[in-house]
Amino acid sequence: MVTDPQSACFEAGIKFGSLYHQFAGTPVSPDSARSLERAMEESIENQPHCESVSVNILDDALEATLADSAADYTELTGSLMRVEMRIEYEDVTVRTKMEMEDGYPLMKLVSVEE
Amino acid sequence: MVTDPQSACFEAGIKFGSLYHQFAGTPVSPDSARSLERAMEESIENQPHCESVSVNILDDALEATLADSAADYTELTGSLMRVEMRIEYEDVTVRTKMEMEDGYPLMKLVSVEE
Amino acid sequence: MVTDPQSACFEAGIKFGSLYHQFAGTPVSPDSARSLERAMEESIENQPHCESVSVNILDDALEATLADSAADYTELTGSLMRVEMRIEYEDVTVRTKMEMEDGYPLMKLVSVEE
Amino acid sequence: MVTDPQSACFEAGIKFGSLYHQFAGTPVSPDSARSLERAMEESIENQPHCESVSVNILDDALEATLADSAADYTELTGSLMRVEMRIEYEDVTVRTKMEMEDGYPLMKLVSVEE
């Protein structure tokens, strides 16, 4: 048997994997970061049960990457963004986030509430 | 609080979203379907807690798509494949699959067992 | 030997392949189409020699796809968009576009001018 | 007017952009590198005018990346692979490659021959 909270967490994971692997590798610069954030949020919010997505491309991390580089843009990776999502499935609300931990972008369940 | 079964389901969802959005859009034909299946399986099995991935690109569905077409290849979409995965997280085993339902590729939790 | 116009055409092709395979598969609806257009344009304009990108997600084609569907969003494919680009490489200007022809999204060189 | 060699170079660029942005971000490890190489080659060879694709995921570069890491896999990027392609368009043969130059993966036209 599968419970509603378990299904809600499965749905939350799908959205995170989708967002990451759809958009990782996209060329990004300080000038194009805002439009990419918005497109990531609005596209993933189309998916079922996905109530809210917030993407922040980290200007400091982006500038630091570009300072080491001869190019004026880079490719989007997990170390350049922070993401939060809220999933609603039946009566369950799941909150998730992705942030750096020990040098890795970690996708985490923040809370599961009925 | 987040339980181990909930975390296991979240991890299962991440793998499904990753697999789908990494590989959807890949050019595929009957001749290249086998190597794509294998690469999808082995790449996603790299991800944490992902014990087993099985991808079947559906030759019948692929042939039917190409029969309507002037081209000899198409782009991979959910309607052309069936996927099964097994996730192990702490003492929890999650089984998932993706298959067509009412014309849509649906990602589903099959079982969650401690 | 490789000429500047040939290099310019190679660069133009890279941008088209990048745009298509980065963004194909993105969830899209009438409400999220505008932000996706903008992100596609601005991200690909980051690439070297890419002076201008114009993406139009075709509302009519999108509505027609959704009318046949139980869902309120779909995945971005070539049949849902028209794209134009201008590449500048040394003294060469290349104009390209993607549009539907005989049911296929075709990427085409429009002009190569020194 | 557009010449055949220019069209051939445009086609060559499309294949490179496609290959890169379809597969960048794929989870890869020494164990899964061979199946990913094969799938990349065979999928892109489906595209029109694409006669041959050779992908080498660089074991040394991959091991070096993983040595700095707590994980046993990473995401595919340009610095981890070398790619060669041959495009045939009308009577024109175009050879291209991608390799590291000054720390960047550079896509280059090697020769254009009629």
Side-chain angles (χ1 to χ4, degrees), chain C residues 1-11 89-90 92 114, chain D residues 5-6 8-10 12 92-97 107-113:
Chain C
M1 280 301 307
V2 177
T3 67
D4 281 351
Q6 290 168 358
S7 292
C9 292
F10 181 62
E11 291 294 329
Y89 181 90
E90 302 294 333
V92 184
E114 279 182 280
Chain D
Q6 290 167 358
C9 292
F10 181 61
V92 184
T93 298
V94 175
R95 291 174 196 277
T96 64
K97 65 177 171 183
M107 300 177 190
K108 289 198 277 197
L109 281 174
V110 176
S111 66
V112 182
E113 282 164 19

Side-chain angles (χ1 to χ4, degrees), chain A residues 20-21 24-27 68-71 75 77-78 104-105, chain D residues 20-21 24-27 68-71 75 77-78 104-105:
Chain A
Y20 194 88
H21 285 273
T26 302
D68 287 340
S69 160
E75 296 174 10
T77 63
Y104 283 86
Chain D
Y20 195 88
H21 285 274
T26 302
D68 288 340
S69 160
E75 296 175 11
T77 64
Y104 283 87

Side-chain angles (χ1 to χ4, degrees), chain B residues 19-62:
Chain B
L19 181 143
Y20 194 88
H21 285 274
Q22 182 62 56
F23 293 103
T26 301
V28 64
S29 64
D31 284 351
S32 71
R34 298 296 86 77
S35 64
L36 183 55
E37 287 171 347
R38 188 120 188 261
M40 292 173 75
E41 292 169 350
E42 293 193 359
S43 70
I44 301 299
E45 284 173 353
N46 283 315
Q47 294 190 330
H49 315 297
C50 189
E51 288 310 301
S52 145
V53 179
S54 163
V55 176
N56 286 285
I57 295 177
L58 305 169
D59 288 345
D60 289 358
L62 189 52

Side-chain angles (χ1 to χ4, degrees), chain C residues 55-82:
Chain C
V55 176
N56 286 286
I57 295 177
L58 305 169
D59 289 345
D60 289 358
L62 189 52
E63 304 279 7
T65 299
L66 296 177
D68 288 340
S69 160
D72 52 6
Y73 73 101
T74 187
E75 295 175 11
L76 187 68
T77 64
S79 64
L80 297 176
M81 58 179 159
R82 201 169 43 216

